[in-house]
Amino acid sequence: MLTPMDAADATLWVEDRPARLLRPAGMSPLVDLEPRDLDDRRLLRELPPERRVITWRGRAESADELGAILQALSRTPACLYRLELDSPRAGDALFPLQMLRAAGRKDVTAYALGPGGFWTRILAPHLGAPIAIAGDGDSVPSVTQWMEDYGFPQLGTPEQIFGIVGCPVLRSLSPRLHNAAYRALGLEALYLPFPVEGFAGFWQDVVAGLDGLGWPLGGLTVTSPYKEEALATAGEASPLARQAGSANTLLRRNGSWLADTADADGVVKALAHRRVPLAGRKTAVVGCGGAGR
């Protein structure tokens, strides 16, 4: 079981060093330290290891480099080590997860920063990270999202990953709906949002990276503006997807990818549900993308 915690409640955030770190120390059980604080002997003497959270933020070029940073930080005892990676490329977001898998420790959390790293925060606890940090929901999951979208504080053991990819996708209800269905059906799966600024980089790096972590990506919902790229990426496509020139669904089957679209069914079935006849009617289609076609 994992207890979600708000970082503002769990860790004392201060700006001045080091006197202000010590002055209000009685207000919080944990005090957040940066690498620059670790040479201050007085500070470390006043703050025992069980009250220290050591946080590193920056860039790294590989999971091995992050592992080396963790090893250096670990020379100073602490109750938690937190590595926050700036990840300008889609594949960089995998480095913290790969490092967590290799480290196998219960006193470390690591994830990528920004909207593109949102999904890495969800996966980190499944790799042993002892805390879940809540935020505003824009780039950090809110408390509501942790609980209603991802089932926290209970942790399952996902064997397969699904998700929604697009820009933007963090306000989508799809994770909440799909993960609730997985739990109800007893499926060991997890549905994640993947906000990306380029589909090709995500497809080349993240999909293969998840396979390497033991979480094969089983399927994707694809939103604007990547529906045409999704169709071009897949090895196979349904007749409707070919006709529309786009796909909003990618399914992995026997090692290959099938592109399909549910956009047309979504419109036609909704109208049929309301008993709106279509045969012989003139219609106006607003929009020129794949769903419009």
Side-chain angles (χ1 to χ4, degrees):
M1 177 178 291
L2 185 77
T3 302
M5 71 169 68
D6 190 316
D9 293 334
T11 306
L12 181 62
W13 293 92
V14 293
E15 297 179 356
D16 296 338
R17 331 297 293 184
R20 289 191 61 186
L21 282 170
L22 293 172
R23 188 167 58 204
M27 298 170 55
S28 173
L30 303 179
V31 176
D32 192 63
L33 302 178
E34 298 177 3
R36 58 177 169 165
D37 300 317
L38 305 185
D39 293 327
D40 191 308
R41 294 183 179 180
R42 175 173 172 262
L43 185 61
L44 297 181
R45 186 169 59 251
E46 295 289 335
L47 293 174
E50 60 270 19
R51 297 193 58 202
R52 302 173 192 162
V53 175
I54 299 177
T55 299
W56 172 91
R57 299 178 185 89
R59 293 280 301 276
E61 297 301 321
S62 68
D64 288 341
E65 184 177 343
L66 274 182
I69 292 169
L70 173 62
Q71 187 174 18
L73 295 176
S74 297
R75 297 191 186 105
T76 302
C79 69
L80 177 68
Y81 302 90
R82 177 168 57 186
L83 283 75
E84 300 183 327
L85 180 69
D86 181 16
S87 52
R89 301 180 299 256
D92 293 357
L94 288 160
F95 298 160
L97 303 180
Q98 293 165 343
M99 186 274 289
L100 284 174
R101 174 77 81 187
R105 292 170 53 169
K106 299 297 183 181
D107 60 349
V108 181
T109 187
Y111 43 78
L113 295 170
F118 186 100
W119 59 275
T120 68
R121 295 173 181 266
I122 306 299
L123 287 177
H126 294 278
L127 292 170
I131 68 168
I133 300 173
D136 58 9
D138 290 330
S139 57
V140 183
S142 67
V143 171
T144 298
Q145 285 175 307
W146 276 116
M147 299 178 70
E148 296 187 7
D149 294 13
Y150 305 105
F152 282 66
Q154 299 295 331
L155 278 180
T157 53
E159 298 176 356
Q160 198 169 30
I161 300 295
F162 298 88
I164 180 169
V165 60
C167 184
V169 295
L170 291 183
R171 295 297 179 179
S172 171
L173 290 177
S174 291
R176 184 171 301 180
L177 298 172
H178 283 80
N179 287 321
Y182 298 157
R183 291 193 296 271
L185 294 171
L187 299 178
E188 299 295 347
L190 186 62
Y191 190 100
L192 299 171
F194 295 102
V196 299
E197 295 184 358
F199 188 82
F202 164 79
W203 189 258
Q204 293 170 5
D205 297 328
V206 175
V207 174
L210 287 172
D211 286 353
L213 286 170
W215 286 318
L217 189 65
L220 284 170
T221 304
V222 184
T223 71
S224 177
Y226 303 126
K227 294 184 179 184
E228 288 82 2
E229 285 188 77
L231 178 66
T233 296
E236 303 176 59
S238 70
L240 187 56
R242 290 195 189 96
Q243 186 178 358
S246 73
N248 74 351
T249 306
L250 290 171
L251 294 173
R252 197 176 208 171
R253 292 182 175 176
N254 300 320
S256 63
W257 287 89
L258 170 67
D260 202 351
T261 181
D263 285 330
D265 286 339
V267 174
V268 173
K269 290 183 178 180
L271 292 171
H273 180 72
R274 293 181 175 272
R275 296 184 175 85
V276 178
L278 292 178
R281 303 286 292 273
K282 292 182 178 180
T283 63
V285 177
V286 180
C288 59
R293 287 192 296 273

